[in-house]
Amino acid sequence: MVANERGFPRRRRRRAEIAARIPRGYCPALHLAAPTALGALVLAAAVGSLDAVEAVELLAVPATLLLAFAFEWWAHRSVLHRRAPLLGTLFERHEREHHLAFTADDMALRSARELWLVLTPPYSVLLVFVLLLPLTAAAGILFTRDAALLGLATAMGFFVSYEWLHLAYHLPADSVVLRLPGLLCLREHHRRHHDPRLMKRWNFNVTVPVFDVVRGTRWSPPPGPASRA
């Protein structure tokens, strides 16, 4: 489904206004590289600290992924598309900037500077790491040290994957990156979420739509030429 094209010139003007607010000294390459490097460093350090992992401890990986998919779904639905107390800035950045700049019929970046509108704020990876530290410590007490480290590595890997997948969805549709298996399907799931008529109710997972399936919020057009939202 493609969003109604009426009002496209107005959206184009809004996009230009939003892009004009990107900080003058913004460096897109650094914005992408620094969180990726920090996330990869934490992941590598956690994996490198493992010691004689037992088979049962490997369950920490799918368990952490399941929690990450659930958190992604909840945060996208309940924080980024609903104005929550003390978190209004996140709502403004996501719904009033990201979704106004990129709609279902106009998803692609027009310049590298627009990475500011796609990636999470540059400090996010550090904030995620700080928040994960007490959770990792608690997991080490409740379970085992290696299980906690596997959970930390998985969580940081998920964060980096989120950033790169979301970036991929906002590349031009003919990008060579989107030839990787599965990416076009994931991009289409996310593109439908960018229809203004659907964004508050459907397709909240950005990485893999696990909890959209679990919670019944995965939308796809019904078969037939007369599909409607």
Side-chain angles (χ1 to χ4, degrees), residues 189-222:
H189 176 84
H190 187 63
R191 188 191 70 81
R192 291 165 183 163
H193 172 74
H194 272 266
D195 186 312
R197 298 171 295 176
L198 304 179
M199 66 181 184
K200 287 184 175 292
R201 293 183 57 198
W202 307 101
N203 295 18
F204 294 111
N205 277 127
V206 175
T207 51
V208 181
V210 174
F211 267 78
D212 279 319
V213 172
V214 171
R215 298 301 301 270
T217 56
R218 186 181 186 187
W219 188 94
S220 58

Side-chain angles (χ1 to χ4, degrees), residues 89-220:
T89 300
L90 296 177
F91 170 85
E92 291 290 335
R93 181 180 175 90
H94 186 75
E95 185 163 309
R96 300 294 175 84
E97 291 189 356
H98 180 67
H99 272 268
L100 281 178
F102 303 102
T103 56
D105 55 353
D106 190 16
M107 285 281 287
L109 292 157
R110 294 179 185 168
S111 71
R113 284 181 58 78
E114 288 192 340
L115 281 178
W116 176 266
L117 304 173
V118 172
L119 302 177
T120 59
Y123 56 80
S124 295
V125 65
L126 185 59
L127 179 61
V128 167
F129 174 60
V130 170
L131 292 175
L132 284 173
L133 287 179
L135 295 176
T136 302
I141 295 171
L142 292 173
F143 304 106
T144 67
R145 175 180 178 274
D146 280 348
L149 288 171
L150 284 169
L152 175 62
T154 303
M156 294 306 294
F158 178 87
F159 177 86
V160 174
S161 298
Y162 174 98
E163 291 285 74
W164 280 89
L165 283 171
H166 194 201
L167 169 58
Y169 305 157
H170 288 281
L171 294 176
D174 59 354
S175 169
V176 65
V177 173
L178 294 172
R179 297 178 188 174
L180 294 173
L183 270 185
L184 277 176
C185 182
L186 293 175
R187 182 186 190 271
E188 181 61 15
H189 176 84
H190 187 63
R191 188 191 70 81
R192 291 165 183 163
H193 172 74
H194 272 266
D195 186 312
R197 298 171 295 176
L198 304 179
M199 66 181 184
K200 287 184 175 292
R201 293 183 57 198
W202 307 101
N203 295 18
F204 294 111
N205 277 127
V206 175
T207 51
V208 181
V210 174
F211 267 78
D212 279 319
V213 172
V214 171
R215 298 301 301 270
T217 56
R218 186 181 186 187
W219 188 94
S220 58

Side-chain angles (χ1 to χ4, degrees), residues 4-111:
N4 195 315
E5 295 194 10
R6 287 180 298 177
F8 182 76
R10 183 176 62 180
R11 290 203 309 273
R12 185 166 53 191
R13 288 195 299 271
R14 285 179 178 175
R15 180 166 177 168
E17 292 169 359
I18 292 168
R21 296 200 293 267
I22 297 171
R24 186 181 299 272
Y26 173 63
C27 178
L30 184 62
H31 189 178
L32 181 61
T36 299
L38 180 57
L41 180 64
V42 173
L43 188 157
V47 171
S49 300
L50 294 172
D51 180 29
V53 177
E54 297 183 5
V56 68
E57 292 173 324
L58 293 174
L59 292 174
V61 174
T64 302
L65 278 176
L66 191 63
L67 289 172
F69 291 136
F71 178 79
E72 174 192 62
W73 183 92
W74 172 82
H76 196 172
R77 175 178 179 270
S78 301
V79 176
L80 300 184
H81 284 290
R82 297 180 184 179
R83 191 183 296 277
L86 305 179
L87 298 174
T89 300
L90 296 177
F91 170 85
E92 291 290 335
R93 181 180 175 90
H94 186 75
E95 185 163 309
R96 300 294 175 84
E97 291 189 356
H98 180 67
H99 272 268
L100 281 178
F102 303 102
T103 56
D105 55 353
D106 190 16
M107 285 281 287
L109 292 157
R110 294 179 185 168
S111 71

